[in-house]
Amino acid sequence: MSPAFRAAGAVVCALLLPLAACVPPPDSGPPDPGVNEARHADAPYVVILSLDGFRHDYLDLYPSPALQGLARDGVRAERMIPVFPTKTFPSHFSIATGLYAEHHGLVGNRFWAPDKQGFYSIGDREVVEDGTWYRGEPIWVTAERQGMRTAAFFFVGTEADVGGVRPTRWKRYDDSVPNAERVDTVLAWLREPPETRPHLVTLYFSDLDDVGHRDGPESPEVAAAVASVDAHLGTLVDGIAALPHADRVYLVVLSDHGMLKAEAARAQPLDLSPFPGVQMEEGGPYASLRVAEGGPERLPGLRDSIQALLGEAEVWMRQDVPERLHYSADARIGDLVILASPGATVVTPDRMPRRDAFTHGWDNQTPEMGAIFLAKGPGIVPGQRIGAFEAVNVYPWLAHILGLDPAPVDGRLEVLAPILGGGATAGEPGR
Ligand code: AMP
Ligand code: ZN
Ligand code: ZN
């Protein structure tokens, strides 16, 4: 169905039927997959696979033939530096938008938003799918707005109408969907005729995060999970290789953060009962405190008192969080931000752990928080190794290879352009 015909249909629908009958089904996007505008006919295809919690050194610790093959045929970064906080939602949405968390609005997996007068939480479907919580322009929105079709088998943000736009096809997150089914569906999308074939496809596996939290990064269970996701990646690689247009496909495999032992002996309880109106919204590797009573003049004294209680952990007023963490500019960030040393945590007294656990959320420069980035595709010189780089630089590179006009972002094309072997021209630095 052409866009014009579809628009006309919507008008007829609105005139003739009660409103409820015109509302599209809530899952998987509109029944009409839409078509690519003719100007994108020669654009390549990009498949992004996110492996939640795949720590950068798993590539060297555990056998992973498909990932090693990708490194051989393309580029591998020493590590990708996620944004702070090193949590799933902030990190994925920075990869998607090229913005630090202080600019894209997902400042944690859970946070209070004064502008919305509500809590965002990754388990709350209503907020997760409500685009008004999200700022910036994820790459699939950039593409859709420019007439290029996209499809998502999960990726943070793809379920929401960000700026009023969703991927042409998307799925409501359901961790029980087997990875094999996710891969098969993505390959089916890539086999579609060029008119409807999505140029950007996202895919997401949670296995390494699930198993890493439970058994720790140096465990046989993580080794087995690496082997399992690697086998699914192998199916994806083979499926792409069998496409008639295989030589136009980029495959990007990345992750959102690493994993580290949170030592029970280094957990610090923070008793907030002496401080009325102060609440901990998020605790652990970093903690976020909201101060509901008293004006801004109360904050320096509070900071000093809490710093004195905690000793080693750093306590900042939001506006004083060090520049390199890019975690100041949004009132959704706590009034006070606490950062524990790697391996240590700060929690409310009722959440004191009895045993060691495994988690993430620490300083994004911590090596164990490091993520992976590998890619192969047209123009990428095989066997390249690049140094550590920040995840916000992925968006401008994706926009570049897809031939899209990028939104203004924090990331810079200059960072990843060289992996294309000199064929790319560097864009203007972002803000
Ligand atoms: P965390 O380790 O707390 O940062 O969060 C990781 C969890 O996020 C994973 O176990 C996933 O089940 C969950 N997750 C990933 N993507 C989504 C999504 N789109 N909607 C809801 N939950 C998700
Ligand atoms: Zn994660
Ligand atoms: Zn996790």
Side-chain angles (χ1 to χ4, degrees), residues 83-91 93-94 99-115 118-122 133-135 156 281-282 286-288 290 318 325-335 337 361:
V83 296
F84 180 80
T86 48
K87 293 280 190 184
T88 297
F89 271 53
S91 176
F93 209 53
S94 287
L99 298 172
Y100 293 111
E102 65 177 356
H103 292 142
H104 67 48
L106 297 190
V107 302
N109 279 347
R110 184 188 139 79
F111 55 87
W112 167 258
D115 56 305
F119 274 104
Y120 185 94
S121 168
I122 68 172
W133 284 81
Y134 301 73
R135 303 188 184 122
V156 171
E281 281 168 8
E282 174 95 65
Y286 81 99
S288 176
R290 183 72 52 190
R318 177 171 61 237
L325 294 173
H326 300 280
Y327 201 63
S328 287
D330 190 341
R332 294 178 178 186
I333 296 164
D335 297 304
V337 175

Side-chain angles (χ1 to χ4, degrees), residues 52-53 86-88 109 209-210 213 256-259 358-360:
D52 199 314
T86 48
K87 293 280 190 184
T88 297
N109 279 347
D209 187 70
D210 301 339
H213 278 295
D256 55 348
H257 52 72
M259 192 68 68
F358 305 95
T359 193
H360 50 91

Side-chain angles (χ1 to χ4, degrees), residues 335-404:
D335 297 304
L336 295 176
V337 175
I338 301 173
L339 182 58
S341 305
T345 49
V346 174
V347 296
T348 49
D350 57 312
R351 305 289 297 261
M352 278 295 280
R354 260 174 263 138
R355 59 183 79 88
D356 292 346
F358 305 95
T359 193
H360 50 91
W362 285 283
D363 191 330
N364 58 335
Q365 294 287 348
T366 309
E368 292 89 346
M369 295 296 100
I372 55 167
F373 177 89
L374 303 104
K376 72 169 182 174
I380 298 183
V381 180
Q384 281 185 80
R385 293 285 176 277
I386 58 170
F389 73 94
E390 291 192 57
V392 292
N393 297 303
V394 173
Y395 170 96
W397 180 72
L398 291 174
H400 177 80
I401 57 180
L402 285 166
L404 299 168

Side-chain angles (χ1 to χ4, degrees), residues 26-28 88-89 109 119-134 152-161 166 170-176 204:
D27 197 358
S28 298
T88 297
F89 271 53
N109 279 347
F119 274 104
Y120 185 94
S121 168
I122 68 172
D124 179 344
R125 296 310 312 170
E126 202 175 316
V127 295
V128 165
E129 294 183 16
D130 176 355
T132 65
W133 284 81
Y134 301 73
F153 212 128
F154 307 151
F155 198 98
V156 171
T158 56
E159 300 137 287
D161 53 334
R166 286 189 172 92
W170 60 279
K171 304 275 183 187
R172 175 165 290 140
Y173 186 65
D174 174 358
D175 63 4
S176 70
Y204 166 86

